Amino acid sequence: MTFSFGDELPQEFYFSDNLFLFTVSKCHTLGIDIILADPEGTMAFAGKYEFEGDENYDAFVQKIGLPSDKAEMGRNCKIVTEVVQNGNDFTWTQHFPGGRSTTNSFTVGSEADMETMGGKKFKATVKMEDGKLVADFPNYRHTAEISGGKLVEISTSSGVVYKRTSKKIA
């Protein structure tokens, strides 16, 4: 979105640069004041992301006790992660080859019903910490952030760290 000096703009509107949600206010012919819509810096996660690479998968799934059949399905799997975000409300869906998907819907700061990569159901409260979504799963801690336009997810269990990176496709 490009604006020129003196452009007529509405009093207030919203846009995203894929890192932060912004609101533009006090639009006038002398300039534009841009302020963060969320002073805590909520990142704009919305989009579709395709698996690009991972680190330490085997050690991690072994540490969390993922059954070997599910671990094998996830190895180098071209997961497509679809994130719908409306402020602090999220719907986070992972689409697996073969048509299987897992969806977790949550509001930052509120307890929600969730499901692990192994299919185990549990309750968790997703928090926003330094621009990262953070959730404590039954036997690992999961973070997600947008870094360099990519979705970077890190799961940690008893010192074993798994990192998955996905590129934005839509």
Side-chain angles (χ1 to χ4, degrees):
M1 202 178 291
T2 304
F3 300 105
S4 299
F5 180 76
D7 285 352
E8 289 296 320
L9 301 172
Q11 275 296 282
E12 187 170 39
F13 65 97
Y14 299 91
F15 69 96
S16 167
D17 71 351
N18 289 328
L19 291 177
F20 295 97
L21 298 174
F22 290 94
T23 181
V24 176
S25 62
K26 299 181 185 173
C27 299
H28 49 76
T29 56
L30 298 176
I32 300 171
D33 297 321
I34 299 178
I35 58 172
L36 287 176
D38 180 350
E40 294 183 21
T42 302
M43 298 189 95
F45 286 88
K48 273 189 177 181
Y49 303 86
E50 182 179 64
F51 173 86
E52 189 172 61
D54 63 4
E55 300 169 17
N56 216 19
Y57 177 79
D58 290 321
F60 180 75
V61 296
Q62 182 179 11
K63 179 57 99 178
I64 65 169
L66 192 67
S68 59
D69 60 328
K70 292 193 187 247
E72 192 58 42
M73 281 180 9
R75 186 175 285 103
N76 297 315
C77 184
K78 289 288 185 187
I79 298 169
V80 173
T81 302
E82 184 175 2
V83 181
V84 176
Q85 178 182 0
N86 183 10
N88 284 328
D89 297 328
F90 287 82
T91 300
W92 196 284
T93 304
Q94 292 185 311
H95 302 280
F96 300 90
R100 187 177 82 79
S101 19
T102 301
T103 299
N104 285 314
S105 295
F106 57 90
T107 299
V108 173
S110 298
E111 187 176 73
D113 292 319
M114 307 283 276
E115 185 176 344
T116 68
M117 62 172 69
K120 182 188 239 181
K121 303 217 186 269
F122 69 102
K123 290 190 180 294
T125 301
V126 179
K127 298 175 247 151
M128 183 68 71
E129 296 176 0
D130 299 321
K132 298 177 186 179
L133 290 173
V134 179
D136 290 317
F137 282 61
N139 51 357
Y140 60 94
R141 181 177 190 126
H142 184 81
T143 66
E145 68 178 310
I146 303 299
S147 178
K150 296 181 181 190
L151 175 62
V152 179
E153 298 173 272
I154 296 176
S155 297
T156 306
S157 178
S158 301
V160 177
V161 178
Y162 168 61
K163 180 179 179 180
R164 178 172 58 222
T165 304
S166 301
K167 64 183 176 183
K168 191 166 189 174
I169 57 173

